[in-house]
Amino acid sequence: MEPDTAGFFEEPADYYPPSPPPTSQIYTLQSGKTITLHLVGHSPLEAHHLWNGSRIISKYFENHVAEVQGRTVLELGAGAGLPSIVSAILGAEKVVVTDFPDPDLVANMRKNILGCELIPTTNGNAEDSPIVADGYVWGADPTHLLKHLEFIKKDKFDVLILADLLFRHSEHGNMISSIEATMSRKKTSTAFVCFTSYRPWLQHKDLAFFDLARGRGFLIEKILEEKMDKAMFENDPGDEEVRKTVTCFTLRWPDEKCI
């Protein structure tokens, strides 16, 4: 007689620890007004953090409003979407904030948009809104993202934002492909790549992104470096000074690739 193994391989209901609950963080604008950012409870894509790169590039835009005001903006791997929300507040013509097309991530970005009273209001139509959230996989066909620009009769984006994505070393090529496919071919078009080497011993792999981008024809320029008061993950190994440092580079088209 064979033993009864029904349910033998089923884990008990409390076998896995519960997912941590969603959290929220406050970002204070230079005006003193605040933005409440909701974060998912946990994400294998690290979207449950408000990364230092997003804080620093948001502050940079506040100090350089012309970089986003009246322009079209696309953020990749946005998580909570702070730089996108700040861009909309500063008067960007259209902002598309994206992350991996996980329903919870996209819903959370939309929650942050709808909850921000500082974003200029419209008549309520999605296509007329200054900022929308959508799902996107790096390197994939961006047609659905570009469609958000049809209402304002634009075809591509003036500004791209990549904040704290470079630790995904295997995705560097796809990130650059997405920039190539979505950034308008103008001298003034700019991709802002802001990051910290959270694993200092792999910093050379983070920086390899720029070698790859340069090899694909982009002009690279370092525009800022700022040290935070403390490392984001204080107990992590590696040089603390490196883990506290946020650096931002820009990617632009060379003259021969502009239209």
Side-chain angles (χ1 to χ4, degrees), residues 193-237:
V193 183
C194 200
F195 72 102
T196 291
S197 289
Y198 294 101
R199 298 171 293 177
W201 61 94
L202 295 178
Q203 187 176 51
H204 64 288
K205 290 192 174 184
D206 298 338
L207 293 172
F209 172 90
F210 301 104
D211 293 331
L212 185 59
R214 193 175 290 110
R216 286 166 66 165
F218 285 101
L219 303 176
I220 313 296
E221 180 183 4
K222 181 178 177 179
I223 61 167
L224 70 83
E225 182 173 291
E226 183 169 332
K227 282 197 177 177
M228 310 300 286
D229 293 334
K230 59 183 181 180
M232 186 168 170
F233 307 105
E234 294 184 79
N235 296 322
D236 277 8

Side-chain angles (χ1 to χ4, degrees), residues 14-236:
D14 59 351
Y15 182 80
Y16 293 107
S19 297
T23 60
S24 64
Q25 292 198 31
I26 303 294
Y27 177 83
T28 303
L29 297 161
Q30 293 181 11
S31 66
K33 296 178 179 179
T34 60
I35 302 169
T36 299
L37 295 154
H38 300 278
L39 305 170
V40 294
H42 176 73
S43 167
L45 303 173
E46 309 297 338
H48 54 297
H49 298 296
L50 182 60
W51 294 87
N52 286 337
S54 67
R55 294 178 181 273
I56 294 301
I57 195 59
S58 297
K59 184 169 72 171
Y60 177 85
F61 290 152
E62 287 193 81
N63 291 324
H64 302 82
V65 177
E67 295 284 12
V68 294
Q69 191 174 59
R71 308 185 79 191
T72 53
V73 179
L74 171 65
E75 184 175 3
L76 303 178
L82 174 61
S84 290
I85 291 172
V86 170
S87 296
I89 292 170
L90 295 174
E93 183 177 18
K94 187 75 174 187
V95 182
V96 180
V97 53
T98 72
D99 209 321
F100 189 81
D102 172 84
D104 290 339
L105 292 183
V106 176
N108 189 69
M109 291 189 294
R110 289 177 178 150
K111 181 178 181 179
N112 287 333
I113 291 169
L114 293 173
C116 182
E117 296 179 352
L118 303 176
I119 296 173
T121 57
T122 64
N123 61 14
N125 293 331
E127 63 182 9
D128 190 33
S129 171
I131 178 170
V132 296
D134 210 338
Y136 179 64
V137 176
W138 304 329
D141 182 354
T143 298
H144 66 293
L145 303 182
L146 301 176
K147 281 186 177 180
H148 291 296
L149 300 177
E150 289 181 353
F151 185 75
I152 57 171
K153 297 179 170 57
K154 300 288 178 68
D155 59 350
K156 291 193 176 182
F157 294 91
D158 304 311
V159 175
L160 269 76
I161 303 168
L162 292 79
D164 272 326
L165 305 183
L166 297 194
F167 67 94
R168 300 275 184 192
H169 302 141
S170 65
E171 291 297 316
H172 285 181
N174 285 331
M175 293 176 200
I176 295 170
S177 293
S178 293
I179 297 171
E180 290 173 329
T182 60
M183 191 163 79
S184 181
R185 297 267 178 158
K186 297 182 290 189
K187 282 184 65 67
T188 54
S189 298
T190 309
F192 293 89
V193 183
C194 200
F195 72 102
T196 291
S197 289
Y198 294 101
R199 298 171 293 177
W201 61 94
L202 295 178
Q203 187 176 51
H204 64 288
K205 290 192 174 184
D206 298 338
L207 293 172
F209 172 90
F210 301 104
D211 293 331
L212 185 59
R214 193 175 290 110
R216 286 166 66 165
F218 285 101
L219 303 176
I220 313 296
E221 180 183 4
K222 181 178 177 179
I223 61 167
L224 70 83
E225 182 173 291
E226 183 169 332
K227 282 197 177 177
M228 310 300 286
D229 293 334
K230 59 183 181 180
M232 186 168 170
F233 307 105
E234 294 184 79
N235 296 322
D236 277 8

Side-chain angles (χ1 to χ4, degrees), residues 245-256:
T245 303
V246 182
T247 309
C248 187
F249 288 79
T250 58
L251 276 63
R252 299 180 190 270
W253 295 113
D255 289 344
E256 61 271 21

